Amino acid sequence: MEDSRKNEQCRRDDVARRAGVSGATVSYVFSHKRYVSPDLVNRVMRAAEELNYHPDMIAAAMRRKSTNTIAVLTDDMASPLQIEIIQAIQEAAMNSGYFTHICGGAKCLDGYIDDFISRRVDGVFLSVNPATVDNASIQNLLDRGISVIITSRRGFSDGRVCGLELDFGMGIRLIIEHLKELGHSKIAFLSCFDESFVFDRRLKRFRERMLDILGEEDPVVFCGEPPFESTIERGYELAVRLIESGKEFTAVMCTNDMMALGAMRALREHGLRIPEDVSVAGMDDILFARSAYPSLTTISHRSEEYGRRIFGILKQNIDNKSVVSREKIEPSLVVRESTGACRQRQKT
Amino acid sequence: MEDSRKNEQCRRDDVARRAGVSGATVSYVFSHKRYVSPDLVNRVMRAAEELNYHPDMIAAAMRRKSTNTIAVLTDDMASPLQIEIIQAIQEAAMNSGYFTHICGGAKCLDGYIDDFISRRVDGVFLSVNPATVDNASIQNLLDRGISVIITSRRGFSDGRVCGLELDFGMGIRLIIEHLKELGHSKIAFLSCFDESFVFDRRLKRFRERMLDILGEEDPVVFCGEPPFESTIERGYELAVRLIESGKEFTAVMCTNDMMALGAMRALREHGLRIPEDVSVAGMDDILFARSAYPSLTTISHRSEEYGRRIFGILKQNIDNKSVVSREKIEPSLVVRESTGACRQRQKT
DNA sequence: TTGAAAGCGCTACCAT
DNA sequence: ATGGTAGCGCTTTCAA
């Protein structure tokens, strides 16, 4: 009767013995950290193959003091934009031999950060509302030499924290200019954040651009309340409030595509046709912006490139401990069906 | 001039020294694996706090030979259903002290599996088209005592592989019964897989149910081609083929919601109103099924519970090495706007 | 109830 | 160009 569970794995020295070399040589063959003669390389590789050897990265990590692992912390795994970015990070990481811990959803995000330290990750990308993570936690990571990238560095002064941001200001400009060309001037903004929220500037940028581009000093704005969720439901609710307010508008811009999807439903339910009666624009260009009906005019952030750059900077910081200053990603306008020429509509 | 990078972390024995106890005691305080007197517990906790001690889980993993880490391998991170499931797994894992490696997107999924072994993960959930992962790779995991759950065990004989499946057969029954009640009998099916694809039974189940419930022996079916993608685009294409075929239908069922979203667009572009002219049903109840216009009738898999159970079984296998036999998750019908009473429409 | 000490499987330094 | 070997920071057995 043989044991069906053969947990006996072969180790480095088993390979070494079978190849007739030292353990060190086996390590060097796998790590490429010093020259090994072709003959020995072959013998080692053959032996490893025959024994089905898999190097123990845990043991290696312990010695080397680096795990080839990064972590991504997000506060919204349901957001397609976040997923697109995370996927890009994950792929870039894998191409460099890094694994990615993807974390989110828990109430207490600070708890994750302690775990990042215990698990000795090499770098962390914080894709979260900065208000939900304590500065002390971030400092804790830095004190241990863990590289950190955060979407908004606002409120944090340590120069080693790199902020790579999406350029919402530019996105908002592109949309307003697009709407202006279509003849719109009464543009309402549905913001998931309120005026007091300091980490997101979309609302502020909207006001600035409305002034710059349209000379509008007091545009129609409706804001969500804490907890600031940019969900389909919130978009729906805010649009209802906008409609019921009786304020004039011929176009609606939203914090993101999710909100725009909800807003479109509300508008439709109130008998407004899109884009004949009212134009709608979102932001992020999520997969479902394209399949919506009508398809959604929005702003693309090049999330793939963004994700790749996140990992690139992280890797650079891990390797060189060099500081990379704050950057932004250039967005682009994607015009679809939800925006159209402004026709002054009858107030119902 | 002081070095700004204080990578000196404190270790277990630093805590021990400060608390006036042995290193072993510090370990036991943190692991709760043996009784330690309240006095010592307090001293250790205080010392740990003061030194900001974070246990090194890498070192622990090396000794213990288990990393408290699981891995999820998916071939479709863009699918909201997958994300919902993965999120549920991740949360359940976190609640039990496990971290989750989420992997996917790479061409070569087998490559990830070697990495799972090297990184000594405790368990793996393979949420992939079984055709894309080699059985030898799975055997490799099992040989090393790594627990495995795979969505479909078909084609794999090792009893230790647990298959937890979504019950598509039941979902399809629910939809057909729903459509029948609405007076439909000409129901077309748009399948991302073709008849030869053995790992997915949705098409097969559709034929069986159509026979059972409606006595239809040869329903209208359009299939995708390899690589079998159940995307919005594929749904659109298949619906166009259906429409242009001239075949009669009053309702359309799709492999999943993504395909249904694409199909709705195609139908609309061809002048068919939903649900007045044709009813459409999807499957999976992704977030965007609700916000679509019209909102989509579909099948909910209780993805949250599914994810939790995936982790539960994985954990059980990790702890006891016990085998859990194949199970299924009970789905439920979600009726929305995209299905309505059948009115025999004019062929255009 | 607590402490001492033997490793876990590697990396990388010091030899040769 | 290759080998020997000292640890990395823990867990856990054995002893007290």
Side-chain angles (χ1 to χ4, degrees):
Chain A
M1 187 166 45
E2 61 173 15
D3 191 321
S4 75
R5 199 157 293 123
K6 247 195 163 0
N7 278 1
E8 273 317 312
Q9 301 201 39
C10 83
R11 322 185 189 311
R12 191 195 60 170
D13 287 356
D14 300 323
V15 175
R17 212 168 303 114
R18 178 177 257 259
V21 299
S22 75
T25 296
V26 174
S27 285
Y28 286 116
V29 166
F30 278 90
S31 70
H32 306 286
K33 292 226 169 145
R34 84 176 182 195
Y35 177 84
V36 180
S37 66
D39 175 42
L40 291 198
V41 171
N42 282 335
R43 273 154 57 194
V44 167
M45 291 311 278
R46 261 200 50 206
E49 180 97 3
E50 287 162 1
L51 296 174
N52 198 11
Y53 170 65
H54 287 243
D56 186 330
M57 286 188 58
I58 298 301
M62 168 147 181
R63 255 313 313 238
R64 202 178 344 101
K65 307 204 136 315
S66 96
T67 52
N68 276 30
T69 302
I70 60 170
V72 174
L73 186 61
T74 173
D75 52 10
D76 189 8
M77 268 189 68
S79 153
L81 176 65
Q82 294 267 353
I83 296 297
E84 286 169 21
I85 294 168
I86 290 172
Q87 182 172 13
I89 293 174
Q90 195 272 331
E91 282 183 35
M94 189 60 189
N95 287 337
S96 296
Y98 280 72
F99 258 38
T100 308
H101 284 300
I102 299 167
C103 306
K107 323 88 217 154
C108 178
L109 298 181
D110 281 326
Y112 276 109
I113 292 189
D114 283 336
D115 250 274
F116 294 161
I117 295 171
S118 272
R119 286 173 182 270
R120 303 296 188 255
V121 301
D122 299 331
V124 173
F125 173 49
L126 298 173
S127 184
V128 298
N129 175 335
T132 61
V133 175
D134 205 37
N135 274 1
S137 293
I138 297 176
Q139 190 60 53
N140 232 329
L141 290 169
L142 295 168
D143 288 347
R144 290 174 162 76
I146 297 174
S147 303
V148 175
I149 296 184
I150 184 163
T151 45
S152 165
R153 190 172 51 178
R154 215 175 327 286
F156 198 83
S157 57
D158 192 302
R160 284 169 300 162
V161 179
C162 170
L164 182 60
E165 297 184 42
L166 298 173
D167 192 346
F168 292 118
M170 176 60 82
I172 285 166
R173 160 184 298 284
L174 292 172
I175 289 177
I176 294 178
E177 284 172 350
H178 166 65
L179 290 172
K180 183 186 178 189
E181 275 176 32
L182 291 169
H184 295 272
S185 60
K186 298 290 182 195
I187 304 173
F189 191 73
L190 305 185
S191 168
C192 65
F193 303 107
D194 68 17
E195 310 271 1
S196 72
F197 189 76
V198 74
F199 298 110
D200 187 283
R201 307 242 210 201
R202 274 172 274 198
L203 180 49
K204 188 153 175 266
R205 294 285 173 259
F206 173 73
R207 290 190 186 284
E208 292 168 4
R209 302 295 186 244
M210 283 298 278
L211 189 58
D212 290 356
I213 301 170
L214 288 166
E216 171 63 61
E217 291 194 351
D218 189 26
V220 177
V221 168
F222 283 84
C223 296
E225 290 136 31
F228 304 112
E229 295 173 324
S230 47
T231 58
I232 293 168
E233 287 71 23
R234 285 303 175 101
Y236 181 92
E237 292 162 19
L238 288 177
V240 168
R241 281 174 47 197
L242 167 64
I243 295 162
E244 293 179 346
S245 75
K247 300 216 169 126
E248 237 186 310
F249 63 94
T250 64
V252 179
M253 288 177 56
C254 298
T255 304
N256 71 4
D257 289 344
M258 306 278 276
M259 303 248 308
L261 258 27
M264 286 207 289
R265 169 161 290 272
L267 293 165
R268 208 158 34 219
E269 288 181 2
H270 284 73
L272 296 170
R273 291 166 304 162
I274 305 165
E276 292 83 354
D277 299 322
V278 55
S279 287
V280 176
M283 177 132 17
D284 293 351
D285 193 23
I286 64 176
L287 187 57
F288 299 91
R290 202 159 50 237
S291 75
Y293 180 72
S295 59
L296 190 63
T297 292
T298 187
I299 291 293
S300 166
H301 299 297
R302 313 175 196 290
S303 50
E304 242 247 339
E305 183 197 339
Y306 183 65
R308 271 202 311 275
R309 280 180 61 189
I310 295 276
F311 178 74
I313 297 171
L314 221 34
K315 179 82 166 61
Q316 201 175 328
N317 277 348
I318 291 168
D319 292 343
N320 320 323
K321 297 294 175 206
S322 73
V323 175
V324 180
S325 60
R326 174 183 249 151
E327 301 184 31
K328 287 198 173 180
I329 288 277
E330 181 92 355
S332 60
L333 178 70
V334 182
V335 177
R336 297 209 181 87
E337 301 164 350
S338 67
T339 48
C342 176
R343 271 183 267 163
Q344 198 58 44
R345 65 192 167 80
Q346 309 296 336
K347 293 200 65 172
T348 26
Chain B
M1 188 166 44
E2 61 172 15
D3 191 320
S4 73
R5 199 157 292 123
K6 246 194 165 1
N7 278 1
E8 273 317 309
Q9 302 200 37
C10 84
R11 314 170 204 319
R12 190 196 59 173
D13 287 355
D14 300 323
V15 175
R17 211 168 303 116
R18 179 176 257 259
V21 300
S22 75
T25 295
V26 174
S27 285
Y28 284 116
V29 166
F30 278 90
S31 70
H32 306 284
K33 292 226 169 143
R34 86 176 180 195
Y35 178 83
V36 181
S37 65
D39 174 41
L40 291 199
V41 171
N42 283 335
R43 274 155 54 196
V44 167
M45 290 311 276
R46 260 200 51 205
E49 180 98 3
E50 287 162 1
L51 297 173
N52 197 11
Y53 171 64
H54 287 244
D56 186 331
M57 286 189 58
I58 298 300
M62 170 149 177
R63 259 310 315 234
R64 202 178 343 100
K65 307 207 139 313
S66 94
T67 52
N68 276 28
T69 302
I70 60 169
V72 174
L73 186 60
T74 172
D75 52 9
D76 189 7
M77 269 188 66
S79 154
L81 176 66
Q82 294 268 352
I83 296 297
E84 287 169 21
I85 294 168
I86 289 171
Q87 182 172 12
I89 292 174
Q90 196 271 331
E91 282 183 34
M94 191 61 190
N95 287 337
S96 295
Y98 280 72
F99 257 39
T100 308
H101 284 301
I102 299 169
C103 307
K107 323 84 219 157
C108 178
L109 298 181
D110 282 325
Y112 276 109
I113 292 189
D114 283 336
D115 250 273
F116 294 161
I117 295 171
S118 272
R119 286 174 183 270
R120 303 294 187 255
V121 302
D122 299 332
V124 173
F125 173 50
L126 297 173
S127 184
V128 297
N129 175 336
T132 61
V133 175
D134 205 36
N135 274 1
S137 294
I138 297 176
Q139 189 61 53
N140 232 328
L141 290 169
L142 294 168
D143 288 348
R144 292 174 160 75
I146 298 173
S147 302
V148 175
I149 297 185
I150 183 163
T151 44
S152 165
R153 190 172 51 180
R154 216 176 326 285
F156 199 81
S157 58
D158 191 302
R160 285 169 300 163
V161 179
C162 169
L164 182 61
E165 296 183 42
L166 297 172
D167 193 345
F168 292 119
M170 176 60 82
I172 285 167
R173 161 185 298 284
L174 292 172
I175 289 177
I176 294 178
E177 284 172 348
H178 166 66
L179 290 172
K180 184 188 178 187
E181 275 176 30
L182 291 170
H184 295 272
S185 59
K186 298 290 183 195
I187 305 173
F189 190 74
L190 304 186
S191 169
C192 64
F193 302 108
D194 68 17
E195 310 271 0
S196 71
F197 189 75
V198 74
F199 298 110
D200 187 283
R201 305 242 212 204
R202 275 172 273 199
L203 180 49
K204 188 154 175 264
R205 293 284 174 261
F206 173 73
R207 290 189 185 285
E208 292 168 7
R209 302 296 186 244
M210 282 298 279
L211 189 58
D212 290 357
I213 301 170
L214 288 166
E216 171 64 61
E217 290 194 350
D218 189 26
V220 176
V221 168
F222 283 83
C223 296
E225 291 136 33
F228 303 113
E229 295 172 323
S230 47
T231 58
I232 293 168
E233 286 72 23
R234 285 304 174 100
Y236 181 91
E237 291 163 18
L238 289 175
V240 168
R241 280 172 48 195
L242 166 64
I243 295 162
E244 293 180 346
S245 74
K247 300 215 169 127
E248 238 187 310
F249 63 96
T250 64
V252 179
M253 289 176 56
C254 298
T255 305
N256 71 4
D257 288 345
M258 305 279 275
M259 302 246 311
L261 258 27
M264 285 206 290
R265 169 160 290 271
L267 293 165
R268 210 159 29 220
E269 287 182 3
H270 284 74
L272 296 169
R273 292 167 303 163
I274 304 164
E276 292 83 354
D277 299 322
V278 54
S279 287
V280 176
M283 175 132 20
D284 293 350
D285 193 23
I286 64 175
L287 187 58
F288 300 92
R290 199 158 53 236
S291 76
Y293 179 71
S295 60
L296 190 63
T297 292
T298 186
I299 292 292
S300 166
H301 299 297
R302 314 176 196 290
S303 50
E304 242 247 340
E305 184 197 340
Y306 182 66
R308 272 202 310 275
R309 280 179 61 190
I310 295 275
F311 178 74
I313 297 172
L314 220 35
K315 179 81 165 61
Q316 202 176 326
N317 277 348
I318 290 168
D319 292 343
N320 320 321
K321 297 293 173 207
S322 73
V323 176
V324 180
S325 58
R326 173 184 252 152
E327 299 184 32
K328 287 199 173 179
I329 289 275
E330 182 92 356
S332 62
L333 179 70
V334 182
V335 177
R336 297 207 181 90
E337 302 165 350
S338 68
T339 48
C342 176
R343 272 185 265 163
Q344 198 58 45
R345 65 191 168 79
Q346 311 295 338
K347 293 201 63 173
T348 25

